[in-house]
């Protein structure tokens, strides 16, 4: 009997995966399959260019000396624990790449699509969507065994939403609360092409990536292994 017959696709689909946009917490929306495979492949191509420098993909070193397992390249502003700088002073001192215009447009569409897909019309969330102008992106690469502990994105001076895009292997995304690193939280599977937006009451929620699921990258996404995650943010810096 062939492997396909032994392991039919529907049996290996994790039950937790949502096919429809879902409000995970107030202000936090998961939109499965938001990027087409063509868009994913194109972004993977850009990722290859970004990692050529001037600042290479690097694992940030946390205060205390521990190195993150995720490697990052930044656009617009360089993030290092725990601040934004124009030059990568913790890597090679070189200036960070510009934040591309196409990504501003993509971020705007992401916020508008995410909130409208779940019928959010509350002004505090919908207004920023009109002129959402991200100026920093952290582009993370998760290689074998990479994970990210529970943390808040709080080095920005703006409360505008964070836009997250995933390409490559699926992962478990743990989306928690604004008070503690622990429960209550919701575990969401993020797959290649998925969009996740968190703003409004969820903007400063703790979140993390307990694990990436090896071997789950779709053949047409442009990545054969590993996971790319792009988070766009509005720094509020000038
Ligand atoms: C992050 O919180 O910066 C990354 C989230 C993710 O990889 O999906
Ligand atoms: Mn984060």
């Amino acid at each position: 009997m062939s492997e396909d017959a032994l392991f039919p696709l529907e049996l290996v689909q994790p039950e937790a995966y949502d096919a429809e946009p879902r409000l995970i917490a107030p202000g936090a929306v998961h939109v499965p399959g938001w990027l087409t495979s063509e868009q994913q492949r194109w972004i993977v191509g850009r990722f290859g260019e970004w990692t050529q420098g001037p600042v290479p993909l690097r694992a940030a070193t946390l205060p205390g000396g521990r190195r993150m397992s995720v490697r990052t390249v930044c656009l617009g502003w360089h993030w290092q624990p725990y601040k934004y700088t124009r030059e990568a002073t913790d890597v090679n001192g070189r200036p960070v790449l510009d934040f591309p215009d196409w990504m501003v447009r993509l971020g705007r569409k992401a916020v508008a699509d995410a909130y409208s897909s779940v019928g959010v019309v509350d002004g505090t969330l919908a207004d920023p969507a009109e002129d959402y102008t991200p100026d920093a992106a952290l582009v993370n690469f998760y290689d074998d065994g990479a994970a990210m502990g529970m943390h808040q994105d709080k080095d920005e001076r703006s409360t505008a939403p964070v836009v997250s895009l995933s390409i490559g292997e699926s992962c478990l995304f743990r989306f928690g609360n604004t008070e503690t690193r622990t429960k209550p939280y919701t575990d969401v599977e993020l797959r290649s092409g998925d969009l996740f937006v968190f703003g409004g009451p969820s903007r400063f929620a703790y979140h993390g990536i307990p694990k990436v699921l090896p071997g789950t990258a779709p053949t047409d996404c442009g990545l054969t292994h590993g996971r790319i995650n792009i988070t766009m943010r509005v720094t509020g810096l000038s």
Side-chain angles (χ1 to χ4, degrees):
M1 188 182 264
S2 73
E3 278 186 6
D4 286 355
L6 270 173
F7 304 107
L9 211 53
E10 56 271 25
L11 285 187
V12 296
Q13 297 286 340
E15 284 171 36
Y17 188 73
D18 307 299
E20 297 301 322
R22 182 158 74 110
L23 191 65
I24 302 296
V29 185
H30 175 211
V31 187
W34 189 70
L35 292 170
T36 65
S37 38
E38 192 181 4
Q39 289 172 322
Q40 294 172 49
R41 287 194 300 275
W42 189 81
I43 293 173
V44 171
R46 302 294 74 68
F47 174 73
E49 295 168 0
W50 300 331
T51 59
Q52 299 303 303
V55 185
L57 200 57
R58 69 85 169 79
T61 303
L62 300 169
R66 205 169 54 84
R67 200 173 263 251
M68 291 178 73
S69 56
V70 171
R71 286 178 295 156
T72 311
V73 65
C74 300
L75 307 173
W77 287 90
H78 176 79
W79 178 83
Q80 53 182 294
Y82 290 100
K83 62 182 177 189
Y84 287 101
T85 51
R86 287 293 192 188
E87 285 91 32
T89 51
D90 63 333
V91 187
N92 60 4
R94 302 290 305 280
V96 70
L97 290 168
D98 287 341
F99 193 96
D101 289 343
W102 64 263
M103 201 180 277
V104 175
R105 292 194 297 273
L106 193 66
R108 256 176 216 170
K109 186 165 181 337
V111 172
D113 282 3
Y115 288 137
S116 66
S117 72
V118 292
V120 170
V121 288
D122 176 86
T124 56
L125 297 176
D127 284 353
E130 316 257 68
D131 50 9
Y132 180 68
T133 308
D135 63 341
L138 274 65
V139 185
N140 289 322
F141 185 68
Y142 294 73
D143 228 333
D144 299 338
M148 193 180 288
M150 293 295 276
H151 65 278
Q152 293 166 294
D153 292 353
K154 60 175 184 188
D155 298 320
E156 302 77 27
R157 292 197 193 142
S158 160
T159 59
V162 173
V163 167
S164 154
L165 298 172
S166 297
I167 300 175
E169 289 170 346
S170 303
C171 74
L172 189 67
F173 182 51
R174 180 160 291 171
F175 196 78
N177 61 87
T178 54
E179 302 301 317
T180 72
R181 281 194 158 72
T182 57
K183 288 181 177 177
Y185 50 68
T186 305
D187 284 342
V188 179
E189 187 180 321
L190 295 181
R191 293 185 182 179
S192 197
D194 285 11
L195 162 68
F196 197 98
V197 175
F198 52 104
S202 283
R203 173 59 181 79
F204 296 104
Y206 282 90
H207 57 277
I209 303 286
K211 64 175 173 186
V212 174
L213 311 172
T216 54
T219 47
D220 59 357
C221 75
L223 259 192
T224 50
H225 87 286
R227 170 177 185 262
I228 293 173
N229 173 261
I230 300 178
T231 49
M232 301 175 212
R233 301 114 187 267
V234 177
T235 63
L237 302 168
S238 54

